[in-house]
């Protein structure tokens, strides 16, 4: 199986540790991972803000970069949803039939990390060790667009040493929403404040999610309030092993 | 206090003209601690109860799909069903009027009331008449409209605007309500307390007098059954039943999209609506009438069919799904933005997610508030999940944003940023270059990996949140250096 990593522009630029964790994890599970250098961005920011014209070249670029792979794995539910839900429609609307056909063939092979592990590789115990109190925030797009369900939680429950505690009001949006956080910063901050309150109620040491965009948002408030809670991407927990500990 | 004062109240009812853009209106609401508490409490309670009511039915998904299909079928054949409805209502002794817009509808209703010689009407809570500002139009003609739904009455007496489709006074608590009643209700008992039972009893007595004396009633319509010409109103307090049966003249205003083909179709919505809106298994008062019946109920019945931007909405392939809405308010109750911004920030009788996609379509995006509404969402998708007729609200929001960007010449800075970002992201080489620049500047902007203040529009982020400083090297740079194997 030829597996490609779709890192996403945000992780590539700001959170390389998450990408490294995916590579380490998949290697440990016996799979080679390729990083197609031509990849850049799924176009979600442009598309969601209304800039469709700028999103289309990114749809095309994605199809070019990942052609020929059996599976494309991404550590972002939000970008995964953009590709799976919207790329086919944007390509179809463009009137370029060849592009539409290529996108149609490619997008079902795009998996968010927990989907790839549970559905394609068939594992829930990835042999990870993470001796910390952790709470998990199911991001909106992972739940309501990709419908990953409890896959991330099944993976987390199998992690050795972890003290996984339930997050109250877990399904509530954290208020990130891309440019929403800037355009409606007051409401966004109010939503974030409530999320932070719920995170702190758990007594967790780390907040985990399958998307660094939401974690960047909540983490920004956790750090600003000196809450003593850090954020950690799902991939980074799953990649940790007993040997990593120094 | 006489009813003349009430008419003054109606005339002073604030309109939605000149509403500030959503973010500005929301900012005030976010800072209103009492409003935040009232809303959080009310919406979380009804949200939980709705989830339970929906979970009771194992065929909910099928019902929802049926609801979606029936509405889509009607919208695709709207001309046919409207003519059928007109024919059946006329056959049954009613009179049908067609109104292109709010002004036309208001004129029709005002003329009909004038023709009766009455100066007071009782009203059943109705979204369509709020949409057209009927009470204000009647007041200008010297006609007083008395709202008879309890929450609507509270809003009217409080010289206020509704902030929720189903619970218009959701922003008020019982102490507020007692104060409003004491101040404005001439027949309120002395020493009225804030106990819900006492407040309800005071409203009951106040309204009973209106019901018994009213000669004219105005209502909305929840559903119109085309093949029998039957109109249906759902309510919970019995005030609607009074208005629909006691007066001599009944005038009903309905949006043209409210049609269902037959009673079999109605059955689907009589399950979907109560569970989604009030979390009830069955609606308490469901009134249905067909034209006029001599000796039973009003002897004069008028139906006003209201377009007011609906045909324009219908012309939009993506946006038209908003016309499936049955005004259950489930999307409001699950919306995290609504819960914090409150209903007034949406600048229309339709608040929350449905308002954000409906108002800009039926009113256009000319005003500040309407052009900002498509952005009043984090696109979390909770509304779509809850909607009983499967309106993909996030899809319509993004569609309306694209329309705004295509048309508008607003936000030159945002446009420039999006263009530069698009240009950078189109090329892996340019992206890598930008990443190197970001990494090089990391010590300038951030301390211990955190940025506490960003310039310009980005300060909206760092007002309340830290931002991460860029890493020493991007993932791409690491991969190139190590082939994906190193540290
Ligand atoms: S959009 Fe859907 S959920 Fe919202 S009020 Fe209309 S029918 Fe109800």
């Amino acid at each position: 199986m030829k597996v490609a990593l779709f890192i996403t522009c945000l992780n590539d630029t700001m959170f390389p540790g998450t990408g490294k964790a995916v590579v380490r994890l998949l290697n440990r599970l016996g799979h080679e991972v390729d990083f197609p250098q031509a990849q850049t961005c799924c176009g979600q920011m442009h598309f969601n803000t209304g800039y469709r014209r700028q999103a289309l070249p990114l749809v095309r670029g994605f199809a070019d970069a990942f052609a020929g792979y059996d599976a494309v794995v991404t550590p972002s539910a939000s970008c995964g949803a953009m590709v799976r839900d919207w790329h086919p429609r944007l390509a179809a609307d463009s009137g370029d039939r060849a592009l539409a056909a290529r996108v149609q063939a490619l997008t079902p092979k795009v998996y968010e990390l927990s989907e790839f592990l549970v559905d394609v590789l068939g594992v829930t115990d990835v042999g990870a060790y993470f001796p910390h109190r952790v709470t998990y925030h199911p991001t909106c797009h992972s739940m309501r667009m990709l419908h990953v369900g409890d896959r991330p939680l099944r993976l987390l429950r199998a992690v050795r040493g972890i003290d996984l505690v339930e997050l109250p009001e877990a399904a509530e949006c954290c208020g990130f929403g891309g440019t929403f956080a800037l355009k409606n910063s007051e409401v966004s901050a109010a939503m974030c404040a409530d999320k932070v309150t719920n995170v702190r109620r758990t007594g967790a040491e780390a907040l985990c999610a399958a998307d660094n965009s939401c974690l960047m948002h909540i983490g920004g408030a956790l750090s600003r309030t000196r809450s003593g809670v850090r954020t950690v991407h799902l991939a980074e927990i799953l990649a940790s092993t007993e040997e990593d500990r120094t | 206090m006489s009813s003349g004062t009430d008419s003054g109240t109606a005339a002073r009812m604030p309109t939605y003209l000149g509403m500030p853009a959503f973010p500005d209106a929301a900012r005030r609401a976010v800072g209103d601690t009492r409003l935040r508490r009232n809303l959080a409490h009310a919406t979380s309670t009804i949200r939980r109860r709705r989830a339970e009511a929906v979970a009771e039915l194992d065929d909910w998904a099928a019902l929802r799909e049926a609801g979606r299909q029936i509405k889509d079928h009607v919208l695709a054949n709207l001309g046919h069903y409207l003519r059928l409805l007109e024919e059946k209502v006329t056959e049954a002794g009613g009179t049908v009027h067609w109104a292109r817009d709010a002004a036309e509808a208001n004129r029709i209703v005002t003329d009909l009331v004038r023709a009766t010689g009455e100066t007071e009407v009782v009203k059943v809570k109705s979204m369509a008449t709020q949409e057209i500002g009927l009470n204000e139009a009647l007041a200008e003609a010297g006609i007083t409209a008395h709202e008879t739904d309890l929450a609507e009455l509270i809003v009217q007496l409080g010289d206020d605007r509704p902030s929720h489709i189903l619970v218009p006074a959701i922003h008020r608590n019982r102490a507020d309500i007692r104060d409003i009643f004491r101040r404005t209700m001439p027949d309120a008992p002395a020493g009225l307390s804030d106990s819900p039972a006492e407040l309800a009893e005071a409203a009951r007595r106040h309204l009973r007098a209106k019901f018994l004396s009213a000669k004219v009633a105005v209502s909305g319509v929840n559903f119109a059954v085309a093949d029998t010409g039957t109109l249906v109103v759902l309510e919970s307090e019995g005030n609607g039943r009074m208005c629909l049966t006691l007066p001599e003249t009944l005038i009903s205003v309905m949006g043209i999209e409210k049609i269902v083909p037959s009673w079999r179709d109605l059955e689907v919505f009589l399950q979907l609506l109560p569970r989604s809106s009030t979390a009830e298994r069955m609606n308490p008062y469901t009134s249905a009438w067909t034209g006029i019946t001599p000796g039973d109920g009003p002897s004069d019945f008028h139906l006003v069919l209201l377009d007011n931007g609906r045909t324009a909405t219908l012309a939009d392939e993506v946006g038209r799904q908003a016309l499936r809405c049955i005004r259950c308010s489930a999307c409001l109750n699950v919306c995290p933005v609504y819960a914090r911004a409150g209903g007034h920030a949406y600048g229309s009788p339709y608040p929350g997610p449905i308002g954000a996609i409906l108002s800009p379509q039926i009113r256009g995006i000319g005003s500040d508030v309407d052009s900002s509404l498509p952005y009043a969402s984090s696109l979390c998708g909770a509304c779509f999940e809850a909607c009983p007729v499967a309106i993909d609200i996030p899809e319509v929001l993004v569609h309306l944003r694209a329309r705004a960007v295509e048309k508008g010449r607003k936000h030159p800075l945002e446009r420039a940023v999006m263009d530069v970002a698009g240009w950078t992201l189109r090329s892996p080489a340019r992206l890598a270059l930008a990443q190197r620049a970001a990494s090089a500047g990391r010590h300038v902007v951030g301390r211990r990996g955190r940025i506490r203040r960003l310039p310009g529009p980005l300060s909206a982020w760092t007002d309340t949140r830290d931002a991460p400083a860029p890493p020493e090297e991007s993932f791409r740079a690491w991969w190139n250096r190590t082939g994906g194997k190193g540290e």
Side-chain angles (χ1 to χ4, degrees):
Chain A
M1 184 167 47
K2 260 184 88 187
V3 181
L5 169 66
F6 169 42
I7 181 74
T8 80
C9 62
L10 180 73
N11 287 324
D12 184 3
T13 309
M14 299 302 294
F15 304 101
T18 298
K20 295 180 199 174
V22 176
V23 174
R24 210 159 61 237
L25 169 65
L26 294 182
N27 286 347
R28 193 173 77 218
L29 295 172
H31 296 273
E32 279 303 310
V33 187
D34 203 1
F35 177 72
Q37 299 274 340
Q39 66 178 284
T40 57
C41 164
C42 66
Q44 181 174 203
M45 176 184 74
H46 285 101
F47 177 74
N48 279 353
T49 316
Y51 293 81
R52 262 178 212 212
R53 197 168 49 77
Q54 287 89 336
L56 187 63
L58 300 174
V59 173
R60 194 182 297 278
F62 187 93
D64 292 340
F66 292 100
Y69 287 95
D70 301 313
V72 179
V73 183
T74 182
S76 163
S78 194
C79 303
M82 173 68 198
V83 171
R84 281 222 308 252
D85 281 15
W86 285 108
H87 279 201
R89 287 181 63 176
L90 281 169
D93 288 350
S94 76
D96 180 339
R97 305 253 296 266
L99 175 67
R102 284 198 298 139
V103 169
Q104 201 67 271
L106 173 64
T107 46
K109 298 181 201 158
V110 176
Y111 302 93
E112 181 275 329
L113 178 66
S114 73
E115 294 177 321
F116 183 71
L117 293 170
V118 175
D119 301 348
V120 181
L121 301 187
V123 287
T124 43
D125 183 352
V126 297
Y129 174 73
F130 195 78
H132 304 279
R133 190 177 176 97
V134 173
T135 192
Y136 174 75
H137 167 58
T139 63
C140 300
H141 291 176
S142 78
M143 273 191 306
R144 302 192 188 98
M145 290 183 80
L146 284 188
H147 303 285
V148 302
D150 66 349
R151 288 178 187 83
L153 281 170
R154 278 153 67 194
L155 290 159
L156 285 172
R157 280 189 210 114
V159 171
R160 266 171 286 285
I162 199 168
D163 175 12
L164 190 63
V165 281
E166 198 181 319
L167 178 64
E169 312 279 342
E172 277 263 309
C173 178
C174 73
F176 173 60
T179 46
F180 173 78
L182 300 176
K183 283 180 182 278
N184 278 287
S185 57
E186 295 285 325
V187 177
S188 167
M191 289 160 71
C192 194
D194 292 343
K195 182 58 74 180
V196 163
T197 303
N198 283 319
V199 169
R200 296 186 71 164
R201 273 164 63 190
T202 65
E205 172 190 344
L207 169 70
C208 173
D211 227 311
N212 275 327
S213 49
C214 311
L215 285 180
M216 175 172 78
H217 184 238
I218 312 167
L222 286 169
S223 144
R224 173 63 55 91
T225 55
R226 313 295 194 274
S227 65
V229 184
R230 68 192 157 102
T231 54
V232 55
H233 191 283
L234 175 68
E236 290 168 49
I237 293 184
L238 299 181
S240 305
T241 60
E242 212 138 348
E243 291 72 55
D244 293 339
R245 304 196 34 93
T246 46
Chain B
M1 230 188 287
S2 73
S3 59
T5 319
D6 282 0
S7 123
T9 302
R12 281 199 318 276
M13 274 272 284
T15 65
Y16 296 104
L17 285 173
M19 276 287 296
F22 184 84
D24 299 324
R27 179 172 306 124
R28 257 174 269 151
V30 163
D32 183 337
T33 53
R34 194 171 59 155
L35 174 71
R36 288 277 297 277
R37 218 205 91 78
N38 288 359
L39 272 176
H41 177 71
T43 55
S44 66
T45 308
I46 188 139
R47 192 186 317 172
R48 195 189 58 245
R49 291 185 47 222
R50 185 205 77 92
E52 288 164 9
V54 164
E56 278 183 1
L57 296 185
D58 25 313
D59 64 345
W60 183 258
L63 270 173
R64 183 174 184 247
E65 179 55 20
R68 185 183 73 76
Q69 286 186 13
I70 294 165
K71 283 283 180 180
D72 277 352
H73 168 79
V74 168
L75 291 173
N77 301 280
L78 194 55
H80 162 74
Y81 283 115
L82 281 168
R83 280 190 295 270
L84 181 61
L85 179 71
E86 178 182 37
E87 184 191 314
K88 295 293 171 185
V89 169
T90 311
E91 263 175 35
T95 309
V96 176
H97 309 259
W98 299 76
R100 211 165 298 153
D101 54 23
E104 222 170 81
N106 286 333
R107 200 164 52 238
I108 293 168
V109 178
T110 308
D111 288 348
L112 287 170
V113 179
R114 274 206 181 119
T116 65
E118 291 296 313
T119 54
E120 293 191 36
V121 302
V122 284
K123 277 190 74 202
V124 192
K125 182 177 146 24
S126 129
M127 299 306 298
T129 60
Q130 276 175 29
E131 176 188 323
I132 60 176
L134 178 65
N135 290 7
E136 293 79 355
L138 288 175
E140 263 171 43
I143 299 161
T144 307
H146 300 286
E147 293 290 350
T148 64
D149 170 87
L150 177 54
E152 208 68 70
L153 175 72
I154 295 164
V155 168
Q156 189 180 38
L157 293 178
D159 207 3
D160 197 358
R161 279 194 308 256
S163 68
H164 189 278
I165 292 179
L166 196 80
V167 200
I170 197 169
H171 56 291
R172 299 289 199 184
N173 61 22
R174 51 196 167 122
D176 297 337
I177 297 167
R178 182 204 49 195
D179 295 347
I180 292 169
F181 280 9
R182 278 186 171 174
R183 205 173 60 234
T184 63
M185 200 183 267
D187 43 3
L192 178 68
S193 84
D194 69 355
S195 96
E198 270 188 48
L199 292 173
E201 186 56 24
R204 220 178 137 88
R205 288 179 183 284
H206 173 76
L207 289 171
R208 186 59 53 120
K210 309 273 184 228
F211 292 133
L212 293 177
S213 60
K215 297 272 186 292
V216 183
V218 175
S219 86
V221 173
N222 288 104
F223 302 100
V225 183
D227 71 355
T228 57
T230 306
L231 300 162
V232 184
V233 162
L234 278 71
E235 39 106 16
S236 311
E237 296 168 8
N239 64 305
R241 180 72 51 86
M242 300 269 198
C243 292
L244 297 166
T245 52
L246 290 175
E248 287 160 14
T249 301
L250 172 61
I251 306 164
S252 301
V253 182
M254 73 172 250
I256 50 174
E257 79 284 19
K258 295 281 151 218
I259 295 186
V260 294
S262 69
W263 281 80
R264 282 191 55 177
D265 303 302
L266 182 64
E267 173 253 0
V268 171
F269 296 102
L270 292 186
Q271 294 183 71
L272 287 173
L273 183 50
R275 285 180 197 261
S276 300
S277 59
T278 47
E280 285 164 312
R281 293 177 177 143
M282 192 180 158
N283 181 65
Y285 289 89
T286 304
S287 303
W289 70 100
T290 310
I292 53 169
T293 309
D296 181 12
S299 52
D300 193 16
F301 170 58
H302 297 268
L303 177 64
V304 182
L305 296 170
L306 175 72
D307 185 326
N308 205 32
R310 286 163 174 78
T311 19
T313 305
L314 190 57
D316 184 316
E317 276 179 40
V318 177
R320 67 169 63 132
Q321 54 186 310
L323 297 177
R324 293 205 291 258
C325 177
I326 55 173
R327 314 277 188 259
C328 72
S329 69
C331 59
L332 278 65
N333 298 330
V334 299
C335 179
V337 175
Y338 172 82
R340 284 147 187 107
H344 292 155
Y346 293 81
S348 116
Y350 303 110
I354 181 60
I357 62 168
L358 197 60
S359 305
Q361 294 201 86
I362 60 179
R363 301 199 298 210
I365 48 173
S367 72
D368 283 350
V369 63
D370 288 332
S371 63
S372 66
L373 283 178
Y375 295 92
S377 165
S378 65
L379 303 179
C380 81
C383 47
F384 177 28
E385 195 175 56
C387 177
V389 285
I391 301 174
D392 190 340
I393 294 175
E395 178 189 16
V396 181
L397 287 167
V398 170
H399 171 75
L400 294 174
R401 291 176 186 184
R403 256 179 37 186
V405 167
E406 268 164 35
K407 277 211 198 116
R409 264 167 294 282
K410 278 189 172 171
H411 310 302
L413 177 64
E414 176 184 291
R415 219 166 258 275
V417 169
M418 287 291 172
D419 280 338
V420 171
W423 178 79
T424 309
L425 291 168
R426 274 203 291 282
S427 142
R430 288 196 289 262
L431 174 59
L433 211 63
Q435 289 169 340
R436 275 204 294 282
S439 292
R442 63 197 289 261
H443 296 298
V444 183
V445 290
R447 287 176 52 203
R448 284 195 226 100
R450 288 281 154 193
I451 301 171
R452 302 236 180 263
R453 190 175 301 155
L454 284 166
L458 291 175
S459 65
W461 179 283
T462 48
D463 277 350
T464 53
R465 295 150 284 216
D466 290 344
E472 221 163 310
E473 74 182 342
S474 68
F475 179 84
R476 187 178 296 269
W478 170 78
W479 184 278
N480 278 332
R481 188 168 57 76
T482 67
K485 298 291 171 209
E487 266 315 303

